[in-house]
Amino acid sequence: MNFDLTEEQLMIQESARDFAQAEIAPTSVQRDISAEFPYDIIKKLGELGFMGMMVSPENGGAGLDTISYVLAMIEMSKVDASVGVIMSVNNSLVCHGLEKYGTDYIKQTYLTPLAKGEKLGAFALSEPEAGSDATKQKTMADKDGDYYILNGMKNWITNGINADYYLVMATTDKAKGHHGISTFLIEKGTPGFGHGKKEDKLGIRSSDTCSLTFENCRVPKENLIWDEGKGFSFAMNTLNGGRIGIAAQALGIAEASLQASVKYSKERKAFGNTISNFQAIQFKIADMAVKIDAAKLLTFKAAALKDSEKKYYKEAAMAKLYSSKIAVEAALEAIQIHGGYGYVREYLVERYLRDAKITEIYEGTSEIQKMVISRALLDEK
Ligand SMILES: Cc1cc2nc3c(=O)[nH]c(=O)nc-3n(C[C@H](O)[C@H](O)[C@H](O)COP(=O)(O)OP(=O)(O)OC[C@H]3O[C@@H](n4cnc5c(N)ncnc54)[C@H](O)[C@@H]3O)c2cc1C
């Protein structure tokens, strides 16, 4: 077992940190207030290779491993978790699935510009009545010659307004239940395809989240990803990798909470002493640090298993479950350490709490992660 990062991984971490501090940090507070999408930042991230980190160079990506991706996600999310989720959806939910299951045509036409950051992707599984139970897809895709005709609705879709390409799960054969779900790649601007208004969210406010609608939307059969009936497996396999990205997003928020707490506790005075001299504060900081390290180990383990092409779905669920939990706890403790100043925007930690909460909900709620983990254990021979 080796806990050392490679030269390349250290370099990625450093360049992600430098970019986040120089290009993202100055506007993150304003974008949280205005809920404005970070167009310029995402464009620059693409130019630097951060939007297709794990895609092979032949498909336009940076050809890096999942550990590097985790390191970059932590640095971006430490400064702005909205940027983190935009980056995560493009990397793990869109590019990864297209590289693994797309045809050469799909890779050349869609994956390459996505991996280069010239285009942005979205992943549309959730529906008003199909969230945790994603098997209950009501969006229909009926075959009509060389096309599929889509009708239905998706909701809560990250990058829903600003994406160029959308991976959409829809039912091609109702009688087959979840074995009758398929995945399609749909371009923005396709007639019959629209989106709703940007949701006014508690946190990750500058990322966009909205519903999608399909009314007799014709999609060429070449844009079917993998095979008919493989859409549910596609979604679940893709989400396994996605959960590592969300664990890293949560870790970034938790680390930011700890750093802010250490800094503030050494500055703030009470009862003639800096509050870092009080054991109650010291223990909070120690507890935060231990939990962050444990979460990091879980996340790196899942990433390392994925990189060595071993089974990792249980470990990815564990990493997301624990990292999201401790991100919420760390943000709450950071507010407590900041006292009244923690409750106002100026000191950032209140945003960390608002941003952290979503990591316990999307890409499978914490309850769903526990189902994945317990099923894996109970099914083990
Ligand atoms: C900001 C944001 C961004 C999102 N981005 C995307 C995206 O890009 N693409 C996408 O497809 N979706 C996205 N989602 C949707 C997200 O994945 C779902 O909200 C999530 O999976 C939960 O589904 P739900 O909201 O329908 O809750 P429900 O499934 O209705 O769950 C409600 C509650 O019941 C619990 N519950 C449900 N079933 C069980 C069970 N069997 N046992 C125990 N407890 C259970 C849940 O854990 C939860 O606490 C996003 C959501 C948000 C808020």
Side-chain angles (χ1 to χ4, degrees):
M1 199 174 289
N2 180 2
F3 291 98
D4 294 334
L5 296 173
T6 64
E7 286 287 313
E8 186 179 57
Q9 288 162 348
L10 285 167
M11 210 182 72
I12 300 297
Q13 183 183 41
E14 197 184 326
S15 69
R17 186 176 297 155
D18 290 348
F19 180 85
Q21 294 299 336
E23 304 278 344
I24 307 177
T27 49
S28 60
V29 171
Q30 189 47 44
R31 274 182 294 98
D32 173 54
I33 297 168
S34 66
E36 188 188 326
F37 189 84
Y39 303 98
D40 296 345
I41 290 169
I42 298 303
K43 192 163 172 287
K44 284 185 195 162
L45 279 177
E47 285 160 9
L48 292 172
F50 285 113
M51 296 303 279
M53 292 186 73
M54 295 167 288
V55 175
S56 62
E58 73 205 57
N59 287 318
L64 295 165
D65 59 8
T66 313
I67 301 275
S68 302
Y69 169 59
V70 165
L71 292 168
M73 274 293 299
I74 291 174
E75 294 307 323
M76 305 299 173
S77 307
K78 209 187 273 183
V79 170
D80 190 337
S82 292
V83 171
V85 71
I86 298 165
M87 177 178 150
S88 165
V89 165
N90 203 71
N91 274 281
S92 12
L93 296 188
V94 181
C95 287
H96 176 74
L98 291 183
E99 181 150 62
K100 196 156 179 205
Y101 302 106
T103 57
D104 286 346
Y105 163 75
I106 288 286
K107 287 180 193 167
Q108 278 157 22
T109 316
Y110 299 109
L111 174 59
T112 301
L114 283 165
K116 287 182 175 169
E118 295 163 357
K119 301 283 182 189
L120 184 65
F123 176 91
L125 175 67
S126 302
E127 298 189 354
E129 289 169 68
S132 299
D133 184 2
T135 62
K136 300 288 181 298
Q137 297 285 306
K138 283 196 172 159
T139 300
M140 293 299 300
D142 298 311
K143 192 122 193 239
D144 180 27
D146 288 342
Y147 289 84
Y148 286 87
I149 302 180
L150 267 73
N151 281 289
M153 184 175 186
K154 297 284 166 186
N155 67 346
W156 310 123
I157 307 308
T158 302
N159 299 342
I161 295 172
N162 287 288
D164 303 282
Y165 305 144
Y166 299 73
L167 285 177
V168 178
M169 287 11 102
T171 298
T172 39
D173 188 345
K174 212 172 175 180
K176 289 188 180 159
H178 72 278
H179 294 295
I181 298 170
S182 306
T183 305
F184 299 91
L185 191 146
I186 302 182
E187 293 188 35
K188 175 179 249 151
T190 304
F193 173 34
H195 65 73
K197 64 167 181 51
K198 181 169 179 159
E199 300 289 351
D200 189 8
K201 303 192 295 288
L202 174 73
I204 54 164
R205 287 178 49 77
S206 78
S207 69
D208 67 36
T209 314
C210 69
S211 59
L212 305 178
T213 50
F214 305 92
E215 283 176 42
N216 294 323
C217 172
R218 292 172 80 80
V219 183
K221 69 175 187 335
E222 293 75 27
N223 287 23
L224 170 73
I225 308 297
W226 202 357
D227 294 324
E228 249 190 47
K230 293 287 191 188
F232 191 72
S233 298
F234 175 90
M236 294 303 116
N237 292 348
T238 309
L239 283 167
N240 287 334
R243 286 167 187 163
I244 299 176
I246 301 307
Q249 184 195 25
L251 270 167
I253 301 168
E255 280 198 356
S257 302
L258 175 59
Q259 281 176 7
S261 300
V262 168
K263 182 169 180 290
Y264 186 79
S265 68
K266 291 203 277 192
E267 292 163 3
R268 179 70 180 168
K269 288 200 166 55
F271 297 94
N273 218 330
T274 49
I275 62 168
S276 62
N277 285 321
F278 300 140
Q279 198 177 52
I281 302 290
Q282 292 166 355
F283 281 11
K284 283 187 197 302
I285 286 170
D287 283 340
M288 283 160 92
V290 173
K291 289 175 186 174
I292 290 171
D293 233 39
K296 212 178 254 180
L297 291 173
L298 283 173
T299 307
F300 282 134
K301 182 180 174 189
L305 286 171
K306 178 168 173 281
D307 284 336
S308 53
E309 296 184 7
K310 296 197 176 116
K311 252 185 103 166
Y312 67 91
Y313 73 95
K314 180 183 77 192
E315 288 75 10
M318 286 177 164
K320 182 186 180 280
L321 173 69
Y322 191 67
S323 302
S324 59
K325 176 176 151 69
I326 67 107
V328 172
E329 288 173 4
L332 271 170
E333 286 296 49
I335 294 176
Q336 193 66 18
I337 289 171
H338 282 69
Y341 296 96
Y343 204 67
V344 292
R345 279 187 196 274
E346 196 184 340
Y347 280 81
L348 299 181
V349 289
E350 59 84 34
R351 169 159 65 89
Y352 299 156
L353 179 63
R354 290 187 285 108
D355 285 351
K357 185 58 204 168
I358 190 60
T359 64
E360 293 190 303
I361 297 172
Y362 56 20
E363 300 203 23
T365 62
S366 294
E367 290 78 10
I368 296 302
Q369 305 310 320
K370 287 184 190 176
M371 282 167 63
V372 171
I373 297 161
S374 58
R375 274 184 195 156
L377 292 165
L378 295 167
D379 290 350
E380 250 168 29
K381 301 264 169 342

